[in-house]
């Protein structure tokens, strides 16, 4: 199970123009093709923050003309678009290696609890800052915005706990048919179950790394690799006595997290996701950079931060 961070779909400066995303996908999928050349079955998930951010700007600019597109729709659109880009890049990369590999993208829904505390008081900031008058128009459309002082107003949404991945059985069927599957992008499209058993999308953002961990559990992955822009998780990051982490037992890694070593907006969710996966499966989880994922999977323990059951 390979979770690509947001940096995997933008350029080095964080830009997300179509050409930037295509170029970044080509780099990421070249690494995946190497894994496939080693006879490793791969399921891919990815972030979609910059892409959803672009859609939110379009929402804001057009709010006086057309109703804003809800977040679950934004998630579905970006899953499909990024899936197409990744598939095209993977097809090209596997062809260069002479591999006959099929891939498929699955628009994937993730179940959340409608009574999750996040829906009562949304706290996850998304999108850009706006002046009060522009934010007020979006509040009229039912969105929640907060005054952030000099920077302006910013939208906040719920970030509920992922409970189940509705379409995981379809992922398993595609794996069984020999496909490399791109699924659950952006943590999945958040949905709740109505009283009659049907599903409804909700305005929320699911943490992509937690979604990756849950999908890894449900599809029976042998290892979860969270690919990011650093080679390892680090204790006391940015300080003179910073300490990169190699192989770490689950209990010790959880202690490090509780001690506050990993920032909530960056490494924290990745560590949480890896720990959840190891806890649920007794299989290893790895945090490392994209250029190290082949070693991370084919020779677990030789690169990156590797979390194992004690």
């Amino acid at each position: 199970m390979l979770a690509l961070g947001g940096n995997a779909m933008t350029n080095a400066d964080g830009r997300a123009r179509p050409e930037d995303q295509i170029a970044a996908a080509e780099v990421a999928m070249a690494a995946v093709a190497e894994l496939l050349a080693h006879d490793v079955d791969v399921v891919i998930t990815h972030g979609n923050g910059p892409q959803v951010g672009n859609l939110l700007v379009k929402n804001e600019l057009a709010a006086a003309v057309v109703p804003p597109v809800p977040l679950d729709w934004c998630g579905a659109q970006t899953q499909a678009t990024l899936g197409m880009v990744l598939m095209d890049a993977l097809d090209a990369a596997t062809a260069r290696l002479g591999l006959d590999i099929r891939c498929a993208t699955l628009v994937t829904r993730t179940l959340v609890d409608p009574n999750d505390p996040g829906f009562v008081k949304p706290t996850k900031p998304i999108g850009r800052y706006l002046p009060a008058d522009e934010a007020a128009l979006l509040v009229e459309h039912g969105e929640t915005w907060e005054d952030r002082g000099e920077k302006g107003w910013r939208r906040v949404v719920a970030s509920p706990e992922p409970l189940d991945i509705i379409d995981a059985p379809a992922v398993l069927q595609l794996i069984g048919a020999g496909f490399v599957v791109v699924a659950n992008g952006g943590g999945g499209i958040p949905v709740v179950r109505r009283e009659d058993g049907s599903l409804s999308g909700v305005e929320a953002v699911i943490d992509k790394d937690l979604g990756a961990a849950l999908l890894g559990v449900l599809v029976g992955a042998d290892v979860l690799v969270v690919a990011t822009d650093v080679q390892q998780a680090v204790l006391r990051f940015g300080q003179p006595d910073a300490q990169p982490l190699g192989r770490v037992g689950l209990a010790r890694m959880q202690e490090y997290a509780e001690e506050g070593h990993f920032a909530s907006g960056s490494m924290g969710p990745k560590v949480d996701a890896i720990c959840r996966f190891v806890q649920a499966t007794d299989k290893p989880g790895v945090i490392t950079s994209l250029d190290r994922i082949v070693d991370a999977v084919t020779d677990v323990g030789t690169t990156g931060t590797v979390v194992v059951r004690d």
Side-chain angles (χ1 to χ4, degrees):
M1 182 79 218
L2 175 62
L4 299 175
N7 64 293
M9 295 304 297
T10 60
N11 76 356
D13 298 324
R15 289 184 300 179
R17 299 173 303 175
E19 57 267 35
D20 297 323
Q21 296 180 59
I22 290 169
E26 289 171 348
V27 172
M29 292 304 99
V32 172
E34 286 191 53
L35 281 176
L36 297 171
H38 282 79
D39 264 347
V40 176
D41 294 328
V42 183
V43 176
I44 303 165
T45 190
H46 58 82
N48 64 351
Q51 294 75 23
V52 169
N54 285 349
L55 292 180
L56 294 178
V57 172
K58 295 174 183 177
N59 274 351
E60 293 156 10
L61 294 176
V65 182
V66 294
V69 175
L71 275 174
D72 53 320
W73 286 35
C74 290
Q77 290 178 32
T78 54
Q79 280 189 3
T81 301
L82 290 174
M84 175 200 68
V85 171
L86 290 168
M87 287 193 299
D88 287 349
L90 184 58
D91 284 345
T94 53
R96 286 193 298 271
L97 295 179
L99 302 175
D100 182 16
I101 301 291
R102 298 178 297 170
C103 54
T105 291
L106 188 68
V107 176
T108 316
R109 299 161 294 174
T110 298
L111 185 69
V112 300
D113 185 349
N115 297 314
D116 189 286
F119 289 113
V120 177
K121 184 173 176 53
T123 58
K124 170 91 174 162
I126 62 170
R128 59 179 185 159
Y129 294 91
L130 290 180
D133 59 334
E134 294 182 31
L137 176 59
L138 294 158
V139 170
E140 291 178 11
H141 283 288
E143 297 179 0
T144 301
W145 286 70
E146 289 184 347
D147 185 354
R148 297 298 178 95
E150 292 183 0
K151 290 184 176 181
W153 288 65
R154 198 172 187 198
R155 187 180 180 189
V156 290
V157 299
S159 185
E161 183 79 13
L163 302 178
D164 192 16
I165 296 174
I166 300 296
D167 304 296
V171 176
L172 281 167
Q173 288 293 319
L174 287 165
I175 294 169
F179 285 84
V180 176
V181 187
V182 181
N184 214 49
I189 302 163
V191 298
V192 296
R193 195 172 295 283
R194 300 187 183 102
E195 290 185 5
D196 65 0
S198 62
L199 297 170
S200 175
V202 289
E203 293 273 20
V205 173
I206 299 170
D207 184 89
K208 60 180 173 49
D209 296 312
L210 298 186
L214 180 55
L215 182 59
V217 171
L218 294 175
V219 302
D222 294 313
V223 59
L224 168 63
V225 178
V226 175
T228 184
D229 55 355
V230 295
Q231 293 181 12
Q232 295 166 288
V234 177
L235 299 181
R236 300 175 295 279
F237 181 77
Q239 300 178 28
D241 60 345
Q243 177 188 344
L245 291 173
R247 187 182 180 93
V248 186
L250 173 62
R252 190 73 185 105
M253 197 64 168
Q254 291 171 326
E255 289 176 2
Y256 288 145
E258 291 170 2
E259 292 167 3
H261 284 283
F262 311 114
S264 60
S266 55
M267 188 57 71
K270 296 173 176 55
V271 170
D272 188 9
I274 289 291
C275 289
R276 291 186 188 203
F277 176 79
V278 176
Q279 182 85 50
T281 66
D282 289 338
K283 302 290 179 63
V286 184
I287 299 171
T288 194
S289 54
L290 189 62
D291 61 340
R292 301 290 184 100
I293 64 170
V294 175
D295 290 339
V297 173
T298 60
D299 195 5
V300 175
T302 62
T303 190
T305 295
V306 183
V307 180
V308 296
R309 174 67 82 171
D310 304 279

